[in-house]
Amino acid sequence: AAGVIQSPRHLIKEKRETATLKCYPIPRHDTVYWYQQGPGQDPQFLISFYEKMQSDKGSIPDRFSAQQFSDYHSELNMSSLELGDSALYFCASSRGGGNNEKLFFGSGTQLSVL
Amino acid sequence: EDQVTQSPEALRLQEGESSSLNCSYTVSGLRGLFWYRQDPGKGPEFLFTLYSAGEEKEKERLKATLTKKESFLHITAPKPEDSATYLCAVGGSARQLTFGSGTQLTVLP
């Protein structure tokens, strides 16, 4: 069965650079969530989209932005990267607008900021 | 604000030694309590959803139960392949999930 696909799998950037993370949800899933997980920490919600509109916003820095496109894939754009942005970034998808249906997670993008 | 606390932080068991993981939560209007398994460097893998107090769900050696204040994940006769971090999350007033810090389970052969 198709799963949530994230790219790239690993990303290394320098401070103050920009990064773009991509997420392709499970087919027919209309809701995408972005989570940030630091080493040894629980996933922290960043932002979510339902039917291409932002549905919820969590602890996402102003330096980050995201959108969901017409094919339901989503991109997380990160600018002016800081060392503290190094983390595992997960995308999850579900169907139904975020009514707490179970989320399916991708394998994540490991971002390292040097 | 929804909050989730998991205990213990880490648990080491011998193969076949049953135990339970705890997830305590405070939430405004519980919409669902979720258990996930996470292996190192991978995304959380869905295990169970519980919606109301008294509900129980089972899958192989795992059984999840729910009360009004906490959930337990019971592991019966665990095997080394059950070693992982088990995350509890709640869906409450906000539509996104709020995760606990997880319990890192190690099952020794």
Side-chain angles (χ1 to χ4, degrees), chain A residues 9 33 35 37 40-43 45 55-58 88 90 97-108, chain B residues 31-32 34 36 38 40-46 49 51 87 90-92 94-102:
Chain A
R9 187 74 178 89
Y33 307 79
Y35 282 84
Q37 187 175 30
Q41 298 180 0
D42 53 291
F45 172 72
S55 54
D56 277 302
K57 193 172 182 180
L88 196 52
F90 290 110
N99 289 318
N100 297 307
E101 294 296 320
K102 63 183 182 183
L103 305 187
F104 294 84
F105 283 82
S107 296
Chain B
R31 296 192 180 197
F34 301 79
Y36 285 85
Q38 186 174 26
K42 295 188 177 181
E45 176 189 344
F46 173 80
T49 308
Y51 292 104
L87 294 168
V90 294
R95 280 173 291 191
Q96 75 276 6
L97 298 184
T98 299
F99 282 87
S101 298

Side-chain angles (χ1 to χ4, degrees), chain A residues 73-86:
Chain A
H73 95 271
S74 179
E75 294 184 4
L76 178 64
N77 299 294
M78 310 161 74
S79 63
S80 303
L81 287 170
E82 301 174 356
L83 296 178
D85 296 328
S86 296

Side-chain angles (χ1 to χ4, degrees), chain A residues 21-98:
Chain A
L21 279 54
K22 296 184 179 183
C23 170
Y24 297 86
I26 292 172
R28 292 183 294 282
H29 278 196
D30 51 20
T31 308
V32 168
Y33 307 79
W34 285 98
Y35 282 84
Q36 176 191 59
Q37 187 175 30
Q41 298 180 0
D42 53 291
Q44 294 293 317
F45 172 72
L46 293 178
I47 195 167
S48 63
F49 294 88
Y50 168 60
E51 282 291 346
K52 294 154 277 184
M53 300 280 289
Q54 181 182 307
S55 54
D56 277 302
K57 193 172 182 180
S59 52
I60 184 169
D62 292 339
R63 299 177 288 110
F64 296 3
S65 64
Q67 56 182 324
Q68 186 179 30
F69 294 86
S70 58
D71 64 351
Y72 294 101
H73 95 271
S74 179
E75 294 184 4
L76 178 64
N77 299 294
M78 310 161 74
S79 63
S80 303
L81 287 170
E82 301 174 356
L83 296 178
D85 296 328
S86 296
L88 196 52
Y89 290 84
F90 290 110
C91 169
S93 74
S94 70
R95 189 167 54 186

